[in-house]
């Protein structure tokens, strides 16, 4: 059991490390995928249609807490906001 938890935590670590690395590169906003298909910046409360932002997939790993696979994406908006989106969906 302890071995299984250790292995799962390692997968969480890869996601966490990637998010920290991206934050150090200036991706300091957090984005949320809304039910209507647009993105919301959690820091500014601004909404962006998906067609108006640049999205790149950066990491894929298993999240022990939600017990699902997650994708880490970077988001860049036209007004210069840069941030991270963590979601089960792959863009």
């Amino acid at each position: 059991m302890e071995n299984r938890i250790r292995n799962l935590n390692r997968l969480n670590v890869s996601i966490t490390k990637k998010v920290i690395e991206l934050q150090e590169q200036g991706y300091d906003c957090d984005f949320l995928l809304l039910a209507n298909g647009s993105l919301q910046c959690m820091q500014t409360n601004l909404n962006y249609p998906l067609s108006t932002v640049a999205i790149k997939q950066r990491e894929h790993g298993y999240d022990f807490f939600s017990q699902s696979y997650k994708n880490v994406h970077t988001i860049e908006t036209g007004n210069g906001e840069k941030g991270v989106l963590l979601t089960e969906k792959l863009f």
Side-chain angles (χ1 to χ4, degrees), residues 55-60 70-74 90-91:
I55 303 174
K56 292 183 182 174
Q57 196 264 351
R58 299 296 183 113
E59 184 76 25
H60 177 79
K70 298 286 185 177
N71 293 284
V72 178
H73 298 85
T74 54
L90 178 62
F91 289 93

Side-chain angles (χ1 to χ4, degrees), residues 15 31-33 57 59-63 65-73 85-91:
I15 293 172
F31 284 88
L32 176 65
L33 181 61
Q57 196 264 351
E59 184 76 25
H60 177 79
Y62 188 78
D63 180 21
F65 301 110
S66 67
Q67 298 183 353
S68 63
Y69 284 93
K70 298 286 185 177
N71 293 284
V72 178
H73 298 85
L85 170 67
L86 185 63
T87 182
E88 293 178 12
K89 185 175 181 176
L90 178 62
F91 289 93

Side-chain angles (χ1 to χ4, degrees), residues 1-17 61-66:
M1 176 70 171
E2 182 180 327
N3 224 8
R4 180 175 176 256
I5 291 172
R6 190 176 309 140
N7 287 339
L8 291 174
N9 283 336
R10 284 189 194 140
L11 292 171
N12 271 353
V13 168
S14 71
I15 293 172
T16 303
K17 279 185 173 183
Y62 188 78
D63 180 21
F64 175 71
F65 301 110
S66 67

Side-chain angles (χ1 to χ4, degrees), residues 18-76:
K18 180 53 79 173
V19 170
I20 292 170
E21 176 187 310
L22 291 168
Q23 289 172 337
E24 290 172 349
Q25 294 174 14
Y27 292 91
D28 53 357
C29 293
D30 301 303
F31 284 88
L32 176 65
L33 181 61
L34 301 176
N36 66 5
S38 64
L39 295 172
Q40 182 178 49
C41 177
M42 302 299 287
Q43 284 72 21
T44 64
N45 208 32
L46 294 174
N47 291 345
Y48 299 94
L50 289 176
S51 61
T52 65
V53 299
I55 303 174
K56 292 183 182 174
Q57 196 264 351
R58 299 296 183 113
E59 184 76 25
H60 177 79
Y62 188 78
D63 180 21
F64 175 71
F65 301 110
S66 67
Q67 298 183 353
S68 63
Y69 284 93
K70 298 286 185 177
N71 293 284
V72 178
H73 298 85
T74 54
I75 307 293
E76 294 187 28

